Amino acid sequence: MKFKILLALIFVNLAQAQKLYFPQTAVTDSLILEKQMPALASQVIPLLQSEKNKPKNDVDLSDALFRLQIVTKDYKKSLITLSENRNQFADHNMAGYRFLGYELYSMAKLAEAERKISFPKALQAAFNKKYESLPDKLIPRIGLAVDGNVIESRKQLKKALEKQKGKDSIDYRSALALCKSYLNYKTYSGIKPQVMQLLASKDQEKFIMETKDLKTKNGNTLTITIVRKKENKSPLPVIFTSNIYAGPIDDFFGKRAAVYNYVGAVVNTRGKRNSNDENDPFEHESQDIYEVIDWVSKQPWSNGKVGMIGGSYLGFSQWAAVKKLHPALKTIVPQVAVGIGIDYPAQNNIFMSYMLQWIQYVTNNKFTDEADFANAAKWDSINTKWYKSGKAFRSLDTISGKPSKIFQRWLDHPGYDQYWQKMVPYKEDFSKINIPILTTTGYYDDDQIGALYYFKKHHQYNKNANHYLVIGPYNHGGAQSFGFTYLNGNPIDPVARISIDDLAFSWFDYILKDGKKPDILKDKINFQVMNTNTWKHVPDLGKMHTSTLKFYLQDRKNAASVFNKPGTPNFTTQTADLKNRDQKDIYYKISKKDSIKMTGSLAFESEVLDKDMIISGNLTGVFNVSINKKDFDTDTSLYQVQPDGKSFLLSTHIVRASYAKNNEVRQLLKPGAMEQIPVDNSYFISKKIEKGSKLLLLVGVNKNPNWQINYGTGKDVSDETVQDAGEPLEIKWYNDSYVEIPVYKD
């Protein structure tokens, strides 16, 4: 009896401390591991569902739950949870099928036990059943959904187990991570070889797929993949993509075009796949794409019409293509397009640390280095090491252990000069672009600034530009694929959950096959107003708002409203020690429920809004400042403080002050003098702000491991070091400075 009581007390104490039993022998003995993992997952499930550990939204909860249920071998429950999880996504796309590998594994394990058949037979039956149930438009996504990295998942499992050496218990977070890494390895090592064979067999039945090398006039080699649906015998328009991310994604892009009844053609950039040429991202796209389009348009399976599609770098490629427009190129659909030199590798002339991670991602081998790119801990460590060292930003590649000529070359061009200008249309080049264009981006798209730069310049220089924009509550992935139900933990409106694929190919049908214009394109600008479940349609970006509201940088202790121009000139002084690398983060406490990091910023809070307001457009304005140095990088964020005490990020803006007036020519500030810094190129948003909310504006200095550090000497910022910091940066933010908030009224 005493022994049972003792065991109960031990269990209670372990549970209270969230320490779970897991014998150290499981680390080194695979048989013991197999026996212990279901028991461990069974202990984790109630903790996952507890108030303390429960994820913020249902998607994250069901995501973790179905994985744990598979580890416990409760395959029936896991399939139910997976089905519920899928319903959290739009039902017209593959979003909910990104867990297809786990679903096939559960289906096969269940059939293996119930029908007493071998796992390979059960897996084949499960695959065939699932394949036949999917609509044609989802077939291309199967390969991506089941292409788990077995080698990397084994490494992650080994790493998780090594943390448990010499221990007989495991904390909740580590247990959850261990269960996930164990499941990844079990699933993909168990299904991938066979499923990929089964898929290849299905592809052979449905498609004609070929890969060949093309030689350019300059002697460069480019690898191209062509995909056609077997049932389509006549020549068709070609949907073409120029892709630096060589790999399985090539087949996806090709098959996607084919299932929409086009020919899919995907070319890899120089240095990728079979090409032994120098890999210089962005630099040769315009020249190479012209030649590839010329070849594609003359093939027997082509009817001579070509359209282009793709997101991010692939969106940039389309703008490179229209720098020198081939007659066969009839339309482009740039999605979340990188604005080279505009928002990447520098945003508003501030270089980002991420650029080095991306360079290595696309240049480490002939395909993409997925494991290195996904190693967030490694890159955080590299960026932090640089930040702590105080060395020049130019040394970041050396600190990473892999010097990069590309990284150094980019840093040699801090202004938007001819190096960047030659890659895409520039000024009057836009006036010659007379083909129809459909741009998609999102309020939380990392490349929104670039996507809208092209849109704005096209309309500025070509008054008859046939160029449409669709923008909504999407991130970088969502605006080139589909609208997730949740974004940043918040649900998006049902009307926003559209299939970007369907929209794009409806556009191609409209332009290349004389079809109907997509219903959503009621005007040149088509934007979803968050929190209203409606789309709005206006002729230009300026019409996204009907008025503006100036938010002044003044403390409400000295003013009745931040929205009224201050009567008495004043300023708020901010001091930033650019030498300090151990500064503790500071948070602005909104409520018991939420706080916002405001390290390096000043906070200005509005009064409570007495009526609903729709903020629609992007922040503009002017900062009147004086500083004791020649330059600094501003950092601005606008938040909604909701009536429930939670924050909602509305828009951000960063800029190098010396480039704020002209991104091509640096104009240093005069220490001690009053200077005006225009606010422009901030992120667009459209959202109804409920009555009872407040607006919170953070303004300050951009200084963290994710970006260059501008020490204000006036030298090339990439070459400045902590020795250049000198005295702390002192900024006087004058109270007649303001951010202009765009407001929409019907």
Side-chain angles (χ1 to χ4, degrees):
M1 184 66 181
K2 287 182 179 179
F3 181 67
K4 289 183 178 178
I5 292 171
L6 181 61
L7 279 178
L9 287 171
I10 291 171
F11 178 78
V12 168
N13 288 334
L14 284 173
Q16 286 175 344
Q18 290 195 320
K19 290 287 186 180
L20 309 172
Y21 175 67
F22 188 72
Q24 55 183 295
T25 50
V27 174
T28 53
D29 191 320
S30 59
L31 292 176
I32 296 175
L33 179 66
E34 290 297 311
K35 289 179 181 178
Q36 289 297 325
M37 288 307 299
L40 180 63
S42 296
Q43 294 177 79
V44 174
I45 287 175
L47 293 174
L48 170 73
Q49 296 171 320
S50 68
E51 283 304 313
K52 181 179 179 181
N53 300 311
K54 192 175 182 180
K56 290 183 179 179
N57 62 64
D58 293 339
V59 171
D60 291 339
L61 175 61
S62 59
D63 181 283
L65 183 58
F66 86 75
R67 296 170 195 268
L68 292 170
Q69 287 168 338
I70 298 175
V71 178
T72 65
K73 301 186 179 181
D74 194 342
Y75 303 116
K76 278 187 178 178
K77 272 191 181 177
S78 74
L79 290 170
I80 292 169
T81 306
L82 269 167
S83 177
E84 292 170 349
N85 181 283
R86 183 174 298 121
N87 292 336
Q88 301 291 337
F89 298 88
D91 59 6
H92 47 244
N93 54 58
M94 201 66 175
Y97 289 93
R98 60 194 179 127
F99 309 115
L100 184 61
Y102 305 107
E103 185 174 10
L104 290 173
Y105 180 78
S106 284
M107 289 171 68
K109 294 300 285 186
L110 194 60
E112 179 187 28
E114 291 181 346
R115 295 166 55 191
K116 308 297 182 188
I117 57 175
S118 68
F119 183 77
K121 283 187 177 179
L123 182 58
Q124 182 172 358
F127 177 83
N128 289 338
K129 181 179 179 182
K130 197 67 196 176
Y131 188 95
E132 297 304 324
S133 73
L134 293 175
D136 261 11
K137 291 175 183 177
L138 298 189
I139 296 298
R141 295 190 181 272
I142 295 175
L144 299 180
V146 299
D147 190 25
N149 190 325
V150 178
I151 295 172
E152 185 60 26
S153 63
R154 183 167 58 188
K155 283 182 184 176
Q156 293 303 318
L157 174 58
K158 187 177 178 182
K159 191 175 177 182
L161 286 171
E162 283 176 349
K163 288 182 180 179
Q164 293 306 119
K165 278 186 176 179
K167 302 175 185 175
D168 274 326
S169 65
I170 184 170
D171 65 81
Y172 163 73
R173 295 290 171 195
S174 298
L176 181 59
L178 175 59
C179 288
K180 287 182 177 181
S181 60
Y182 169 82
L183 177 65
N184 285 344
Y185 178 62
K186 286 286 288 184
T187 298
Y188 293 113
S189 63
I191 73 163
K192 184 175 175 180
Q194 184 180 349
V195 167
M196 296 308 272
Q197 276 188 336
L198 292 168
L199 180 60
S201 178
K202 292 288 189 184
D203 283 347
Q204 283 183 347
E205 294 173 13
K206 189 179 288 286
F207 304 109
I208 299 171
M209 302 175 68
E210 53 184 324
T211 299
K212 58 175 63 184
D213 294 340
L214 303 179
K215 283 286 185 183
T216 68
K217 291 176 182 176
N218 288 341
N220 301 110
T221 300
L222 305 173
T223 303
I224 190 166
T225 300
I226 301 125
V227 184
R228 295 174 284 150
K229 204 195 290 188
K230 278 188 174 180
E231 65 186 54
N232 290 328
K233 307 295 185 184
S234 302
L236 291 169
V238 178
I239 304 304
F240 171 53
T241 298
S242 178
N243 181 30
I244 198 170
Y245 306 108
I249 197 76
D250 296 323
D251 287 348
F252 161 69
F253 288 133
K255 288 190 284 187
R256 180 179 63 172
V259 298
Y260 279 96
N261 293 308
Y262 290 87
V263 174
V266 186
V267 74
N268 300 127
T269 56
R270 294 187 194 181
K272 306 302 290 185
R273 204 177 279 268
N274 298 337
S275 172
N276 292 318
D277 299 313
E278 192 81 16
N279 183 351
D280 291 317
F282 298 102
E283 296 199 23
H284 308 294
E285 299 298 271
S286 183
Q287 175 188 343
D288 290 350
I289 289 173
Y290 188 93
E291 292 189 43
V292 177
I293 290 175
D294 190 66
W295 180 85
V296 161
S297 65
K298 295 172 181 176
Q299 298 311 300
W301 32 258
S302 168
N303 71 356
K305 295 180 180 180
V306 178
M308 288 189 73
I309 189 173
S312 198
Y313 187 100
L314 286 59
F316 147 80
S317 295
Q318 295 168 71
W319 287 106
V322 296
K323 176 91 170 176
K324 182 185 178 184
L325 188 60
H326 192 285
L329 184 58
K330 303 302 182 184
T331 184
I332 61 173
V333 180
Q335 301 161 324
V336 298
V338 168
I340 189 64
I342 300 295
D343 68 0
Y344 179 81
Q347 185 175 129
N348 293 332
N349 301 91
I350 306 173
F351 283 106
M352 56 188 73
S353 306
Y354 167 76
M355 64 194 271
L356 181 63
Q357 182 180 357
W358 184 87
I359 288 169
Q360 294 197 16
Y361 176 50
V362 298
T363 63
N364 279 356
N365 58 51
K366 293 296 187 71
F367 295 92
T368 50
D369 194 340
E370 300 294 337
D372 183 78
F373 186 70
N375 192 345
K378 170 191 168 178
W379 286 102
D380 285 347
S381 174
I382 290 168
N383 295 340
T384 300
K385 185 177 180 181
W386 160 74
Y387 179 78
K388 294 277 189 181
S389 75
K391 292 181 179 179
F393 188 73
R394 197 176 283 279
S395 69
L396 182 64
D397 60 337
T398 304
I399 290 171
S400 80
K402 194 165 187 177
S404 167
K405 289 187 293 184
I406 298 166
F407 179 76
Q408 297 297 330
R409 184 159 64 244
W410 288 358
L411 293 182
D412 289 339
H413 301 278
Y416 190 65
D417 60 15
Q418 287 187 352
Y419 175 75
W420 309 111
Q421 294 164 9
K422 70 181 181 182
M423 298 180 191
V424 288
Y426 177 68
K427 291 190 174 179
E428 293 299 331
D429 292 340
F430 284 99
S431 67
K432 302 168 188 172
I433 303 171
N434 290 311
I435 60 171
I437 298 172
L438 172 62
T439 285
T440 61
T441 182
Y443 302 138
Y444 297 94
D445 167 25
D446 298 323
D447 284 308
Q448 185 209 99
I449 289 171
L452 292 183
Y453 165 80
Y454 298 120
F455 183 85
K456 288 184 282 189
K457 292 300 179 183
H458 191 197
H459 282 279
Q460 177 183 341
Y461 287 98
N462 186 337
K463 302 305 178 186
N464 297 314
N466 186 10
H467 191 163
Y468 288 78
L469 170 70
V470 173
I471 182 170
Y474 313 123
N475 58 17
H476 192 62
Q480 56 182 315
S481 51
F482 34 70
F484 294 105
T485 301
Y486 283 85
L487 179 67
N488 301 335
N490 298 297
I492 70 171
D493 292 342
V495 296
R497 299 170 199 165
I498 65 173
S499 167
I500 301 296
D501 280 358
D502 283 350
L503 170 62
F505 282 91
S506 293
W507 171 266
F508 286 135
D509 288 348
Y510 169 54
I511 301 300
L512 302 175
K513 295 181 177 178
D514 298 321
K516 178 188 171 189
K517 185 164 75 171
D519 291 338
I520 199 171
L521 303 180
K522 291 183 169 57
D523 214 322
K524 291 296 174 65
I525 314 293
N526 306 275
F527 62 102
Q528 204 270 311
V529 185
M530 299 168 68
N531 209 21
T532 68
N533 202 36
T534 58
W535 284 86
K536 297 290 183 185
H537 315 273
V538 293
D540 61 68
L541 286 171
K543 295 291 196 304
M544 282 182 69
H545 64 273
T546 54
S547 62
T548 59
L549 187 64
K550 290 182 178 178
F551 188 129
Y552 290 93
L553 304 193
Q554 56 181 333
D555 192 327
R556 281 202 301 116
K557 293 175 184 175
N558 306 318
S561 172
V562 295
F563 303 126
N564 293 335
K565 187 173 182 178
T568 306
N570 206 336
F571 58 82
T572 302
T573 301
Q574 180 187 9
T575 302
D577 185 356
L578 300 173
K579 289 183 287 190
N580 187 352
R581 292 296 185 274
D582 297 309
Q583 183 177 357
K584 291 184 178 179
D585 284 329
I586 300 169
Y587 290 84
Y588 187 90
K589 189 170 183 180
I590 295 175
S591 66
K592 291 180 180 179
K593 296 180 179 179
D594 203 0
S595 60
I596 298 172
K597 187 190 289 189
M598 59 167 291
T599 313
S601 297
L602 301 174
F604 300 91
E605 189 179 87
S606 79
E607 60 270 32
V608 175
L609 303 178
D610 60 4
K611 57 186 176 182
D612 291 346
M613 172 196 302
I614 291 178
I615 293 179
S616 189
N618 72 322
L619 304 179
T620 54
V622 173
F623 291 143
N624 295 311
V625 302
S626 63
I627 67 172
N628 60 339
K629 296 180 184 289
K630 296 180 181 179
D631 203 4
F632 79 112
D633 297 342
T634 71
D635 189 0
T636 305
S637 300
L638 180 68
Y639 288 86
Q640 173 192 3
V641 178
Q642 299 174 151
D644 64 2
K646 293 181 180 179
S647 63
F648 193 104
L649 179 62
L650 297 171
S651 183
T652 61
H653 176 259
I654 61 169
V655 71
R656 179 149 295 156
S658 57
Y659 279 108
K661 293 177 182 175
N662 185 337
N663 68 350
E664 298 181 22
V665 181
R666 195 176 188 193
Q667 302 170 51
L668 295 174
L669 282 63
K670 185 176 180 181
M674 172 81 80
E675 299 275 4
Q676 282 198 333
I677 302 172
V679 177
D680 199 8
N681 279 342
S682 62
Y683 279 83
F684 276 71
I685 192 166
S686 186
K687 183 179 189 289
K688 185 179 82 171
I689 310 299
E690 303 94 334
K691 173 184 175 181
S693 299
K694 292 185 286 188
L695 297 180
L696 176 66
L697 182 65
L698 302 182
V699 297
V701 181
N702 188 43
K703 174 204 162 195
N704 62 72
N706 299 320
W707 303 87
Q708 287 178 308
I709 296 175
N710 186 348
Y711 292 96
T713 64
K715 296 191 298 186
D716 186 334
V717 175
S718 295
D719 297 322
E720 290 181 314
T721 72
V722 73
Q723 273 69 46
D724 292 304
E727 62 182 351
L729 170 65
E730 188 175 277
I731 312 166
K732 293 178 180 176
W733 298 91
Y734 288 88
N735 61 351
D736 59 348
S737 303
Y738 62 87
V739 166
E740 203 156 10
I741 297 170
V743 179
Y744 180 88
K745 291 182 181 178
D746 283 316

